[in-house]
Amino acid sequence: MRNFLILIVIVGAGAYFGSKWHLHNEVSNGMDMATILMAPYANVEYDGVASTLSGELTIEGIRVRIHGFNDTLYIERFGIDTPSFLSLLELDDVAKRQSDDLPEYFGFLIEGMRIPANADYYRKFYSFVLESRGVTDADDVGVECTGKYGFSSEALAGLGYTEQVISSSITFNNRPGSYSMDVAMSMEDMWEMAGNLTLAGDLLSEISRGTAYRPRLSSFEIEVKDRSLNARVNEYCAKRGLSEKEILQAQLDSFKFVGTENGIEFDEYVLDPYMEYLGGKSTLVFTARPSEPIALSQIDLYKPSDVPALLNLEAVAL
C-alpha cells in the first residue's frame, strides 16, 4: 500500500511538472514571437515565465525600450489569474465552452510597472495628452500642481517622486444573470483604488454579441485611499504660491473635470464628501445603484447634471 501511494505521488508530480513545462514552453514561444513582431517598434526582453498552483500565469521581469527613446519601461510581473492550475491548462478551450462552464473568475494583473518621473517617453506621452485634448491652461499653477491632466515630470519631482510605480488587476466574475468586474489599482506612495462593477446579463453571451454588445450597469462601488498624495499636493501647491482656498478650488476643479470627461456633473452628494477627503480623511467611497440596469452607452444621452440621480450616485468620506 505504501509503495502504491508513493507511486501515485510520483506520477502526480510528474504530470504536474510535465504540464507546467509544457505550459511555460507554450507561453515562452508566444512571447518570443511577440517580441519579434514588436521589434520594428520596441526592444522587449523578459526574465522568464512563472505559474502557481493557485492559477496565476505570469511573465516576469519585462523590459521595454521603445525605438526613438532612451529610457526603459520595467514591469515586474504581467499575466493572468484563474481559480487553479487546471484552469490554466484549459484556457485553450475557453472560447468553445458554454457559459456555465466558464471559470468562476478570470483576471489580468500587472505588478510593479516602473516609470521614471523624467522618462523621455513619459514626457512625450504627457505632451500628447495635452495636445490631443487641445489644452490651453496646462501652465496654470493650480492645473499643474493638482494634476488636472495628469502630473508632468516637473510636477512629479515637485511632489517628491522619482518614479511612478503602478500595479493593477481586473477580474471578471461570472454568475447566473449577471457578471462583475473587480478592479484594483495602486500608485506607490500616491493612492490605492479598489472597486466592483456589476453588469446585467451573462458574460459569454454578452461578449459574443461583438460590436452589438452594450454593457448594462447594475451597480458599482469604488473605494479610494490616499497614500500621501493629498498632503504632497497641498505642500507643492503652497510652494507654487497658492493659498489654502486656491488649492482647494484647484483640487475641486480638477475633480470636476474628471466628471465632465465622463459626462457627469457631480452634485453635493459627491462634492461634499470629496471636500472632506481633501480635508484629511483617508478614504473616499463612491457608490452607484440605479433603479434598473442602464446601458453605459446611453449615459451621454442625458444632461450631465441629471446623471448622478440617474445612477443614484453618492460618496462618503471615511
Side-chain angles (χ1 to χ4, degrees):
M1 184 66 177
R2 178 185 177 188
N3 291 338
F4 178 68
L5 293 175
I6 293 175
L7 178 62
I8 291 177
V9 171
I10 293 174
V11 171
Y16 167 69
F17 287 109
S19 299
K20 188 167 186 172
W21 177 87
H22 175 73
L23 179 64
H24 288 199
N25 186 60
E26 289 289 311
V27 174
S28 294
N29 289 339
M31 189 65 183
D32 291 342
M33 180 59 68
T35 59
I36 293 173
L37 294 174
M38 294 179 65
Y41 313 103
N43 179 44
V44 181
E45 298 177 337
Y46 67 101
D47 293 337
V49 177
S51 62
T52 66
L53 283 172
S54 61
E56 285 189 0
L57 175 64
T58 54
I59 301 166
E60 309 279 311
I62 303 170
R63 299 172 297 282
V64 181
R65 179 169 291 179
I66 304 169
H67 293 341
F69 298 94
N70 295 319
D71 295 314
T72 300
L73 171 67
Y74 179 76
I75 303 173
E76 292 179 10
R77 303 173 70 229
F78 173 76
I80 58 177
D81 185 22
T82 66
S84 67
F85 184 76
L86 181 60
S87 298
L88 291 175
L89 300 180
E90 296 174 340
L91 288 180
D92 287 341
D93 300 328
V94 169
K96 303 175 184 178
R97 299 164 73 176
Q98 298 300 314
S99 175
D100 291 343
D101 294 326
L102 281 171
E104 178 185 350
Y105 65 84
F106 180 87
F108 300 92
L109 61 91
I110 182 168
E111 294 181 1
M113 181 168 70
R114 296 179 175 273
I115 304 174
N118 62 349
D120 49 7
Y121 59 83
Y122 180 73
R123 289 178 178 274
K124 182 67 175 179
F125 172 75
Y126 181 74
S127 296
F128 171 77
V129 169
L130 299 183
E131 292 171 5
S132 63
R133 286 176 167 169
V135 171
T136 59
D137 59 351
D139 293 330
D140 290 357
V141 174
V143 169
E144 189 263 354
C145 73
T146 60
K148 180 177 180 179
Y149 307 111
F151 291 111
S152 65
S153 294
E154 292 73 20
L156 287 170
L159 292 166
Y161 297 107
T162 58
E163 63 178 352
Q164 298 176 87
V165 184
I166 304 168
S167 296
S168 181
S169 67
I170 179 169
T171 303
F172 298 89
N173 306 285
N174 194 38
R175 300 185 181 92
S178 68
Y179 58 101
S180 66
M181 291 183 287
D182 293 322
V183 181
M185 187 174 184
S186 68
M187 296 190 72
E188 190 173 283
D189 292 330
M190 282 193 179
W191 49 264
E192 294 179 6
M193 183 273 287
N196 174 268
L197 181 72
T198 300
L199 301 172
D202 175 84
L203 178 59
L204 189 59
S205 298
E206 294 289 335
I207 293 178
S208 66
R209 296 174 61 191
T211 57
Y213 173 48
R214 297 292 184 270
R216 292 174 296 135
L217 175 69
S218 293
S219 67
F220 77 67
E221 179 173 306
I222 299 174
E223 180 179 282
V224 180
K225 290 183 177 293
D226 176 47
R227 296 304 186 200
S228 84
L229 181 60
N230 284 347
R232 291 174 186 252
V233 166
N234 287 332
E235 182 179 352
Y236 178 52
C237 289
K239 287 181 179 179
R240 294 294 310 276
L242 297 185
S243 66
E244 288 187 13
K245 183 177 180 180
E246 290 171 328
I247 293 171
L248 178 60
Q249 186 59 54
Q251 289 174 306
L252 281 173
D253 289 344
S254 294
F255 180 63
K256 289 178 181 178
F257 176 75
V258 174
T260 300
E261 285 286 281
N262 291 279
I264 303 174
E265 183 180 318
F266 294 132
D267 58 20
E268 68 273 17
Y269 298 108
V270 173
L271 293 178
D272 289 349
Y274 181 67
M275 292 179 67
E276 293 181 44
Y277 174 68
L278 295 178
K281 293 193 174 181
S282 63
T283 303
L284 186 64
V285 181
F286 301 91
T287 58
R289 296 184 177 87
S291 57
E292 60 182 31
I294 179 170
L296 296 177
S297 60
Q298 294 181 352
I299 288 180
D300 60 358
L301 300 178
Y302 294 84
K303 290 173 55 179
S305 58
D306 291 338
V307 173
L310 176 72
L311 298 178
N312 193 18
L313 178 66
E314 58 184 19
V316 60
L318 304 173

